[in-house]
Amino acid sequence: MTGISTAPFGDAAVMIAGVAEPGVRERVRAIGRELERRTPHGVTELVAGLDSLLVRFDPLRTSPESIEDVVRLLDETTGSDGTVSSVAGRTFTIPVVFDAGAGPDLESVAAELEQSVDDLVATVTGTVFDVVLLAAGMAPMMEGGRFNRPVRRAAQPRTNVPAGSIMIAGQNAIIQPFPGPTGWRVIGRTPHVVVDIAREDAAAILPGDRIRYRAVDRVEAERTGTAFLLPDDEPAGARQ
């Protein structure tokens, strides 16, 4: 498994890690998607990171050696580009309000990057972000930022960030699906709902999807309403 390693992580988990190279990182994610789609006997939980995947298992039902054998087999059958059968790979264009009310860290991030707020918004809206994993609460986390340097996390985490908040740190971005705390820098907010647990497919966005942000004013955001987010090629009302 060139570029990918596996190792026991405590008594009931195996850590799968890849070197920080785009092709290898995508193969780790592809393995994770296959494990999620066809969960091996004894596996109880998958915890994804940017360059790693933690596979938790029941030690009374399987062993770390068995998990490593499955991972090795999946790696051997995964293409060099990490392609696997998946419903992902869609494109979303997400309207975002970029102002001090929706993005309380917008001005401080622009100052940190030594650019104007307009230039920062232009950078964000001019970037296609790739969704790499679903974090806590099915929050879509994405990479591909083109900031002139990695954005620092907040020195003092916020205790209650509204749902729909668009946040950045490093060269990554994430959308807050539910109100809650965060150490990410909040630069805007979308009116759309990105996770609805009342739906069978609760998460609107999946790993492998691509995200574009579009700047809108508050009038257009209010007109959009709190609709469940749909991909660009799916008509409104298609998933009622």
Side-chain angles (χ1 to χ4, degrees):
M1 296 188 292
T2 305
I4 295 179
S5 64
T6 61
F9 195 84
D11 297 329
V14 169
M15 178 65 77
I16 305 168
V19 298
E21 297 176 1
V24 177
R25 294 167 75 176
E26 180 51 39
R27 280 165 53 211
V28 172
R29 294 168 195 148
I31 289 169
R33 291 193 292 269
E34 282 295 286
L35 289 173
E36 186 173 51
R37 191 169 71 90
R38 299 182 293 180
T39 305
H41 176 75
V43 170
T44 59
E45 185 182 16
L46 302 173
V47 183
L50 277 176
D51 301 303
S52 64
L53 178 70
L54 183 67
V55 183
R56 300 186 188 275
F57 61 87
D58 182 347
L60 297 179
R61 299 169 59 199
T62 189
S63 67
E65 291 79 13
S66 295
I67 301 299
E68 290 176 329
D69 286 343
V70 170
V71 171
R72 187 174 296 106
L73 178 62
L74 288 175
D75 185 53
E76 291 172 353
T77 56
T78 297
S80 59
D81 59 353
T83 54
V84 293
S85 58
S86 173
V87 297
R90 303 159 299 168
T91 299
F92 293 80
T93 302
I94 302 178
V96 179
V97 174
F98 293 100
D99 63 21
D105 296 316
L106 187 63
E107 291 189 5
S108 64
V109 170
E112 178 184 324
L113 297 177
E114 299 180 342
Q115 58 184 181
S116 69
V117 167
D118 287 345
D119 285 343
L120 173 57
V121 171
T123 298
V124 173
T125 57
T127 298
V128 178
F129 291 89
D130 297 311
V131 180
V132 294
L133 59 91
L134 297 184
M138 293 181 278
M141 182 175 174
M142 55 207 77
E143 65 181 7
R146 299 177 180 176
F147 311 114
N148 56 31
R149 66 177 71 109
V151 176
R152 293 193 297 265
R153 284 178 171 266
Q156 182 67 42
R158 297 183 181 277
T159 59
N160 192 25
V161 173
S165 292
I166 309 301
M167 309 181 294
I168 59 176
Q171 295 288 356
N172 305 107
I174 195 167
I175 304 175
Q176 183 91 337
F178 304 107
T182 185
W184 291 63
R185 309 283 285 283
V186 184
I187 62 169
R189 187 160 68 244
T190 180
H192 279 296
V193 172
V194 297
V195 176
D196 183 351
I197 59 175
R199 292 175 173 264
E200 182 177 356
D201 298 323
I205 303 170
L206 298 173
D209 289 339
R210 295 172 297 277
I211 303 297
R212 295 178 184 270
Y213 295 109
R214 180 173 65 89
V216 299
D217 59 25
R218 287 183 174 268
V219 173
E220 183 173 348
E222 290 177 5
R223 188 164 57 243
T224 298
T226 56
F228 188 71
L229 182 68
L230 296 175
D232 292 351
D233 60 357
E234 189 166 333
R239 283 192 281 172
Q240 296 295 326

